[in-house]
Amino acid sequence: MTASIVAATFIASEGEYLEAVIEVGGQRLHVMDEFGGAQMAAGTQFQAGLSPMPSERDDWDAIFRANPVREKRLLRLDGWRYLALGVVTQVDPVICDCGLLQVENPFTTHDVRCVGAYVGVTLARLDACLA
């Protein structure tokens, strides 16, 4: 899985591999701290690699019904779980452009008719590391 590299501002961390809050593009994200946030001062700017971990619980119909407004964004569900809304840009493997990040392999298909479809996939976790 390839991380999306973004400019981030550190807000707070509960410790290494625990929940941290960063700001990216004006949006606060709750992420797993794999960047040493406990040693950072609030307001520190850094390059973060965001790595989404798709949930394997979404069913096909729910994925294709979840984004009727055709958005590209992350909606926080709870903790570091998100609903990633975006558009399928390729299949084999599936890649979804969700604005701040690309989600690889949120589901599997070889059907090129899915390219251009707007979807919503659950991210079990969003990790952040130093880029």
Side-chain angles (χ1 to χ4, degrees), residues 12-122:
S13 177
E14 294 178 7
E16 190 171 16
Y17 302 112
L18 299 175
E19 190 170 324
V21 180
I22 61 175
E23 189 169 299
V24 177
Q27 181 177 358
R28 286 202 174 195
L29 299 176
H30 292 251
V31 299
M32 178 189 270
D33 183 346
E34 294 184 12
F35 57 87
Q39 284 74 46
M40 289 184 176
T44 300
Q45 307 283 316
F46 69 105
Q47 292 293 305
L50 297 179
S51 299
M53 179 183 292
S55 169
E56 296 180 6
R57 297 179 162 214
D58 293 341
D59 72 40
W60 186 265
D61 291 335
I63 289 168
F64 285 86
R65 278 195 316 261
N67 194 355
V69 184
R70 302 166 66 101
E71 297 179 276
K72 290 184 191 178
R73 67 185 188 124
L74 299 177
L75 295 174
R76 183 170 176 237
L77 300 173
D78 57 58
W80 49 39
R81 289 187 34 209
Y82 289 86
L83 178 62
L85 300 172
V87 62
V88 177
T89 58
Q90 77 173 53
V91 296
D92 240 350
V94 172
I95 296 182
C96 297
D97 175 3
C98 298
L100 287 178
L101 51 84
Q102 307 286 309
V103 179
E104 291 183 32
N105 291 316
F107 58 93
T108 302
T109 186
H110 306 289
D111 190 343
V112 295
R113 293 176 296 176
C114 291
V115 173
Y118 281 80
V119 296
V121 295
T122 304

